[in-house]
Amino acid sequence: MLRLRFDRGTLRLDGDVATPYGKWDSRIGGYRAKAFNYADVLDYLKSSGVKYVDEVLAPPPLERLSDAVNLRGYQQEALNRWRSAGYRGILVLPTAAGKTFIALKAISLLNVQSLIVVPTLDLIDQWRKRVKSLLGVDAGAVGGGECDVRMVTVSTYDSAYTQAEQLGNRFLLVVFDEVHHLASPGYIQIAEMYVAPYRMGLTATLERGDQRHLLLPPLVGDVVYTARVDELAGKHLAPYVYERLTVELTPEEQRVYDAEMSVFKDYLREKKIVLKTAADFQKFIMATGRDPRAREALLARNRAFKVALNSEAKLSLLAQKLDAYRRERVLIFTLHNDLVYAISRRFLIPAVTYQTPREERREILHKFAAGEYRAIVTSQVLDEGVDVPEASVGLVLSGTGSTREYIQRLGRLLRKVEGKTARLVEIISKETVEVGISRRRRLKPREA
Amino acid sequence: MLPSELLAVWKRKGEVMPKYAKPTPGALEAAATLIEAYQAHVGEKKKVLKAVVSGLEDEGYEYRFVRGLAFILDRRSLFKCTSKVNPIELRRRVFHAASTQGYPAKAEKRRQILLQVAAEAGMTPEAVDEYLYADLDSELTLEKFTPLTPHELLSAYNLSLTQTLLFDATELIFTAAGNWQNILHAVKKLGLIYEAERAGDFIFRITGPVSLFKLTKKYGTSLAKLLPHITASPFWQVEAKILWKYTNELCTFKADSRKHGALLKTESVDTQYDSTVEEDFALRFQALKSGWSLKREPEPVLAGKHVLIPDFSLEKHGVKVYVEIVGFWTAEYLKRKIEKLSKTEARILLLVNESLACEKLSALTKQGALEILYYTRRVPLNKVLQYLEQASQTVKSRQVELLKSLTIRFTEPVVAYEDFAAQTGLSPEAVREALTSKPPEGYVALHNAIISEEKLMQLTEQIDAAMAPTGKLPLPEAERIIEQEGIKDATSILEAAGYKIKWHGITAEKAEVHRASDHEK
């Protein structure tokens, strides 16, 4: 008799039968299989008529779900495709296209113990609220010191990873929100260490600079549905306008910028280093650990960037824009926290960063939604997933060259409100690297 | 453990080694400067303290070293928000006012808003400005700092550095002397798997369940947490495989107590008894003075790929018995324990408290060298001793059998049983019994040794020559001749060579050696 058990993120197969997925583990003197092969192992055992006992699953009790989810046409279509693919697969939908609804409908449809994996603690709160209002049950939470496992449970990627040994056999469906995160070298093991046969991946931008998203289909399922921003914009989402404004550095800023950049460039020229790809840059960063001069060059570059990103001229223009859009809901994005707080102090605008206490962040977002606050200044924490109430203007004061960030920020502003045209304004410094960063940023936005 | 960006290492030819801070005058001075800075800045803001830290970087110390030390000092510090008004409440008022009146583009407008909030809150506008973000990390005040010596700081830094490197480890191999129970308990608690192997020392390879399928860094953090348990041993050696993330190559990290013990000095962990039953047994057994020496938490015993660390080892004359005391148990637990114990070749005595059984025991068969002894209140020492004697008898007779079955070629003219026993790890009694019952060819068995016939002949000739004039020889003279050859226990040789000793009184000086035949005449 073969005995099938869950052992800290793997399956133990005790018995004399070797299965196609089992691998001999000499450390314990028994067969072991990857947890994510659970369904395959069962299929094999059933079809080959081997007698076995299955002690793998230890799910929390089922609760009665009440389903108040109504799907729009394209959402229903996405769900249907996922069903036809065997309850597995990745759905690519722009931010604000209602991915949450599709996932909750899937949970209600399967009516099994489900884990939703999300990137941030804030998203745990949001999903729990949605689960409560649309499925009528209290969702459990794992992460941020909490560990409460229920029929529907929401976890951060971090906790789902670190606690895979304990959680891997407790759910039958796993929903990966912002599934592109799952492809990172560590997190990908979540997909391998959980037995759940049903899987759903959700994202607005699946592609990763390092191409690791190609690893996801065997673990989560193929991309079964893709909707582009331009397909939905105007119909299901608000139309948007993009505008770019350049400012000149003050003479003093320009002097400092040029001086610092020449330190950096001289070093590269001297060492014959070409920085073209992310890997080139990674190599350069490594060199800074060995060579004090490389580090000095890097610091000079960072100081130059900071001057360009935090230019006084930009703040003056920001003041004008704030006045121009005083009747709109404005989100201000910056790259560095220093600048967030500088803007917050100077214009007395609520700031949201990773340092903002959770309660206060909640309050600020709530008041912004209610219209009491007309603006929020933030660094990157709102880039993804955080359910920011609908805004009409985005002011980008600095940013990186990543395409994803650009789309996410755009997406922030695109929640459908009748008669609204969203506006994204980028303020960059002339004659600096920022021009290039901005161009790169807009290079591929329409692929989402 | 440090943030990974502070990890400083040397790396060449597939080997990776942390840049350990040796206690050089320079490093000690940097450590002392930082410790003093933290002490001197109690009551001041974190950003002021951090300025001192970056000042040290500017003086030419490696930035990761300086920040690493500061990171460790931060953990010994208590930072608090000292604002009298709640900054969150203050911000709420300010943001509300600014939202209703419009965001101030000019300094004048901003001041008006602050004035209004200040009036409401009963503060000055300057105080509103100052405390607006008093709860930000950099604005916190250092309230308490627990100092340490510069040497201790460097050791803590080096250990943290090693642990940070281990975050990216895929496996860890170690040997250690002592501290077993503690280390293997930690291995289990951290969800890791070990494989033990004996090659002189015990060598342990530590991985995790998923390691079977792929090279994974998942257990790096756990391996890092395991490290201090290993380095707390007086002797240790570790080797780890590190997946170097920048180049994706697998590097080796090696360290040992001889080279790095002083750098990675770890506070030792006390050995504690699992239970008072064990303490009681140890004290009573030692009071018996039975000749069996008791050792607590002895070296591990190999059982398949695993090891057991029995509670005690008892040893006498090369016979070793391990003792394991079982407290609360279920039949399943006992069965598993016995299964594990029976995988080893070592002799094990399992003492099971019958009254602490959690369920009725169905008959358990004893297996191999495993003996189970049930008791109800206290461990019965007489039964334990009985078992020990039996065990040493069994061992002895088995050794006798073994020796008899072997043809041993001796080259030394004289071999003492005790020396031979010590060299071979057999018991002296077994050696005596085997060699006297069947002496090797060309040898004669004496009471304490065997001697070659050739040597015996040579000695006889020497003694005969000395004896020739009178037909007798004072015993001390004969002893001198024999002992010149490096042989102890002259009397048994004399007897074996056919001499008789005639005693006149009890002192050896007056005794005489005769030829046996002469004396009989």
Side-chain angles (χ1 to χ4, degrees), chain B residues 435-480:
Chain B
L435 293 182
T436 44
S437 72
K438 189 189 157 202
E441 221 183 291
Y443 278 82
V444 179
L446 307 176
H447 184 63
N448 286 325
I450 49 169
I451 184 163
S452 71
E453 285 165 0
E454 199 184 336
K455 190 80 193 170
L456 195 60
M457 190 84 77
Q458 180 206 329
L459 284 171
T460 316
E461 278 166 15
Q462 271 179 274
I463 292 169
D464 279 351
M467 208 181 260
T470 57
K472 62 183 181 184
L473 193 66
L475 180 59
E477 275 293 297
E479 280 179 340
R480 200 180 45 77

Side-chain angles (χ1 to χ4, degrees), chain A residues 91-110:
Chain A
L91 313 179
V92 183
L93 290 153
T95 315
K99 288 178 300 223
T100 317
F101 297 106
I102 304 174
L104 294 182
K105 195 77 183 177
I107 292 173
S108 143
L109 187 76
L110 280 170

Side-chain angles (χ1 to χ4, degrees), chain B residues 35-270:
Chain B
I35 294 165
E36 279 162 28
Y38 273 72
Q39 281 174 312
H41 283 80
V42 172
E44 301 216 34
K45 282 190 177 175
K46 193 170 186 177
K47 62 181 176 190
V48 181
L49 185 58
K50 290 295 156 185
V52 178
V53 176
S54 57
L56 213 54
E57 285 173 41
D58 295 341
E59 278 173 40
Y61 287 104
E62 220 259 343
Y63 75 101
R64 285 171 300 193
F65 168 59
V66 175
R67 289 187 201 175
L69 295 185
F71 187 84
I72 289 163
L73 295 178
D74 277 352
R75 282 193 309 214
R76 306 175 65 92
S77 306
L78 181 68
F79 293 99
K80 268 197 169 164
C81 172
T82 49
S83 164
K84 282 173 227 71
V85 282
N86 179 353
I88 297 178
E89 176 56 31
L90 198 58
R91 287 198 287 274
R92 187 178 290 134
R93 286 168 184 256
V94 169
F95 296 151
H96 178 80
S99 290
T100 28
Q101 300 178 25
Y103 297 113
K106 295 212 168 65
E108 181 54 30
K109 177 86 181 293
R110 181 176 184 273
R111 185 162 168 81
Q112 270 176 24
I113 294 171
L114 291 187
L115 266 170
Q116 184 200 320
V117 173
E120 285 169 22
M123 315 165 58
T124 64
E126 289 74 22
V128 174
D129 215 352
E130 185 185 344
Y131 292 124
L132 193 60
Y133 278 112
D135 53 347
L136 279 189
D137 192 54
S138 56
E139 301 286 326
L140 300 182
T141 303
L142 176 58
E143 193 149 279
K144 214 179 119 199
F145 170 66
T146 318
L148 74 180
T149 69
H151 272 104
E152 286 166 345
L153 177 56
L154 293 185
S155 290
Y157 170 75
N158 288 332
L159 186 67
S160 291
L161 204 56
T162 317
Q163 290 181 299
T164 310
L165 179 66
L166 289 182
F167 286 167
D168 290 337
T170 59
E171 66 170 63
L172 181 76
I173 294 169
F174 76 88
T175 63
N179 206 21
W180 295 113
Q181 215 131 16
N182 196 318
I183 298 172
L184 293 185
H185 184 67
V187 166
K188 205 169 166 189
K189 229 171 63 182
L190 291 164
L192 300 166
I193 297 179
Y194 71 83
E195 292 160 87
E197 201 186 303
R198 178 138 211 191
D201 291 318
F202 275 95
I203 298 170
F204 290 90
R205 178 168 170 263
I206 314 287
T207 48
V210 173
S211 311
L212 180 66
F213 303 109
K214 64 192 283 185
L215 213 54
T216 176
K217 299 196 279 195
K218 177 138 210 326
Y219 306 107
T221 317
S222 298
L223 294 174
K225 285 181 189 160
L226 182 66
L227 184 73
H229 294 274
I230 298 169
T231 53
S233 296
F235 163 83
W236 53 264
Q237 228 177 326
V238 297
E239 181 179 330
K241 289 272 175 275
I242 310 286
L243 194 57
W244 193 243
K245 58 183 155 216
Y246 301 106
T247 54
N248 204 27
E249 69 187 301
L250 206 55
C251 304
T252 309
F253 160 69
K254 282 183 194 170
D256 60 70
S257 50
R258 198 171 48 83
K259 279 192 219 143
H260 309 98
L263 291 172
L264 295 167
K265 209 157 166 260
T266 318
E267 275 171 43
S268 66
V269 193
D270 283 336

